[in-house]
Amino acid sequence: MFQWLKKYFIPHEGNDHQPHILRIQSIVVFFSVVLFLEVIFLVQALFITTGASYFSAILPRAVTSLTNVQRSEVREMPLVQSTILAEAARLKAEDMATNGYFAHMSPQGKTPWYWFQKVGYHFRYAGENLAVNFVDSGDVVNAWMASVDHRDNILNADFTEIGVGVAKGVYEGRQALFVAQLFGTPLSAEIANGKETVVALNTPNIPSQAQVSEGGAEVKGASGVTENIPPVVASTSKSPFFMEEIFASPHSMNIFLYLVLGTIVLLGLVLTVFVKIKIQHPPLIAHAALLLIVLGSFLVLNQYLSLAHAQIF
C-alpha cells in the first residue's frame, strides 16, 4: 500500500518526480468519473425527483430522519411518525399540487389545522412547515433550519409526533414537488396524563381558538376536552435505508463525492509542488488546476439548479 501511495502521490526518482495521480491517464479517469456523476445528478435532480413515485415514497422518511437528527443535536426527544399526521400532510400537499398554490392558507380559505381535523387528529399542539421545488431532502431541512419560525417548529419540545407528505404538481409554470411537514401532540395524550382541561391560547379573531405565529409557520392550541376521542395511531419512525438516503439526497451526495475527489486531487497537487519544490512539472500542475476548476464550477452549477426555484413557507 505504501509503495502504491508513493507511486501515485509522492514525487521521487522512481516516478520521475511525476506522481501518477496527476498524469494525463489519471486525469482522464477523474474527468470521466466527474462527468458520469454530473450526468447522474442532472438526471435525478431535473427529472426523477419530479416524476418518480419512488422518490415521493422515500422522501418523507428521509425528511423525518433528518428532522430527528436536528432535534437530537439540541437534546430534544425524537418525534414519532404518526400515520394520521402523515395522511393529513399528504392531503395538504396534494391540495397545493392540485390547486397550484403554496401557502398555509388555501385559496378556498382552508387553514393549516383544517387538515388535522379532516383526518380526526385532535391536538394539544400542532405545527406546519412547507417546501416546494427542492430536489434534496437535506436541502429541505437545512432551509427550514435557517428560518427562525420553521426551526422553532422542528425543535419544539411540545411536539411529540410528525407526519410528512409529498405530492407532484405544477407550480409557477413548472413541474414541482410539494412537501408538507406536520407536527403534533395529540389531545388524548394530555388526557392520559391526567389533565382534565386544556388551556386555550388567547388569540383574537382566529377561529377554533387556535393561534398562528407571526411567521406563519406554526399553529398552536385547541380548547376543550371531547368525549370518546378517536385514538391517534402512531408508528415507530423508520430510518431510511442507506440507498434510500442517497436517492433522497442527490445534491448532498453530489457535494460529498465532489469534495472527496477534489481533496484527492488537491493533496496530489500540494505534494507534487512542495515535496520536491526545486523540481516542477507545469503540465501536472495545470492538470490538477483544470480539474479543480471543473469541480468547483459543477458545485456552483448544481447549487443553483437545486435551489434556484426552491421555497419554504
Side-chain angles (χ1 to χ4, degrees):
M1 175 61 73
F2 175 76
Q3 291 300 322
W4 183 88
L5 291 174
K6 184 178 179 180
K7 174 183 176 181
Y8 273 84
F9 287 93
I10 309 297
H12 61 285
E13 291 184 357
N15 58 18
D16 196 24
H17 302 287
Q18 300 182 61
H20 286 237
I21 195 69
L22 299 184
R23 293 189 180 189
I24 189 64
Q25 297 88 341
S26 298
I27 293 299
V28 168
V29 172
F30 273 117
F31 268 109
S32 299
V33 171
V34 170
L35 290 175
F36 174 76
L37 293 176
E38 187 65 14
V39 169
I40 293 297
F41 169 75
L42 292 176
V43 170
Q44 188 169 355
L46 300 180
F47 301 103
I48 295 180
T49 54
T50 57
S53 299
Y54 180 67
F55 183 80
S56 300
I58 66 174
L59 186 65
R61 289 196 292 270
V63 169
T64 299
S65 176
L66 291 171
T67 297
N68 280 330
V69 168
Q70 295 293 339
R71 290 176 65 90
S72 68
E73 292 181 357
V74 295
R75 300 183 183 277
E76 290 293 348
M77 293 296 292
L79 299 170
V80 176
Q81 186 172 344
S82 164
T83 55
I84 291 184
L85 278 184
E87 175 64 9
R90 183 188 66 81
L91 292 174
K92 174 57 183 283
E94 288 187 349
D95 190 66
M96 290 190 294
T98 300
N99 294 291
Y101 74 96
F102 180 64
H104 293 291
M105 184 84 72
S106 77
Q108 293 77 27
K110 296 174 182 175
T111 62
W113 51 92
Y114 166 84
W115 306 102
F116 292 84
Q117 296 171 347
K118 184 174 180 64
V119 297
Y121 190 98
H122 300 271
F123 58 85
R124 173 67 176 93
Y125 298 104
E128 177 184 78
N129 287 342
L130 304 177
V132 68
N133 283 330
F134 283 86
V135 300
D136 186 291
S137 58
D139 288 340
V140 175
V141 176
N142 289 339
W144 283 333
M145 289 298 293
S147 164
V148 174
D149 294 313
H150 300 85
R151 175 187 172 89
D152 287 347
N153 271 349
I154 288 175
L155 303 182
N156 195 326
D158 290 328
F159 296 145
T160 60
E161 297 180 350
I162 186 174
V164 179
V166 300
K168 294 173 287 186
V170 176
Y171 182 63
E172 296 182 341
R174 68 192 305 268
Q175 289 293 319
L177 193 70
F178 295 83
V179 182
Q181 181 185 49
L182 301 185
F183 306 90
T185 298
L187 189 62
S188 54
E190 300 293 325
I191 298 173
N193 289 333
K195 297 183 179 181
E196 296 179 355
T197 61
V198 178
V199 179
L201 298 174
N202 296 320
T203 308
N205 303 321
I206 299 293
S208 302
Q209 296 187 351
Q211 174 180 347
V212 183
S213 70
E214 291 182 1
E218 186 177 356
V219 181
K220 284 187 176 182
S223 66
V225 178
T226 59
E227 299 292 336
N228 301 319
I229 295 176
V232 175
V233 180
S235 61
T236 303
S237 180
K238 296 181 180 179
S239 298
F241 296 113
F242 177 71
M243 290 305 297
E244 287 186 350
E245 290 182 341
I246 293 177
F247 199 83
S249 305
H251 184 215
S252 300
M253 185 55 59
N254 181 265
I255 291 175
F256 172 76
L257 293 175
Y258 280 3
L259 290 179
V260 169
L261 292 175
T263 300
I264 294 173
V265 174
L266 184 61
L267 176 63
L269 177 60
V270 170
L271 292 175
T272 297
V273 171
F274 292 104
V275 170
K276 292 290 184 179
I277 198 166
K278 294 183 178 181
I279 305 175
Q280 299 297 326
H281 295 275
L284 299 187
I285 298 174
H287 294 162
L290 179 60
L291 184 54
L292 290 174
I293 290 173
V294 170
L295 284 170
S297 299
F298 279 161
L299 284 171
V300 173
L301 173 64
N302 295 344
Q303 180 78 2
Y304 172 77
L305 292 175
S306 297
L307 302 177
H309 302 283
Q311 299 179 43
I312 60 173
F313 196 46

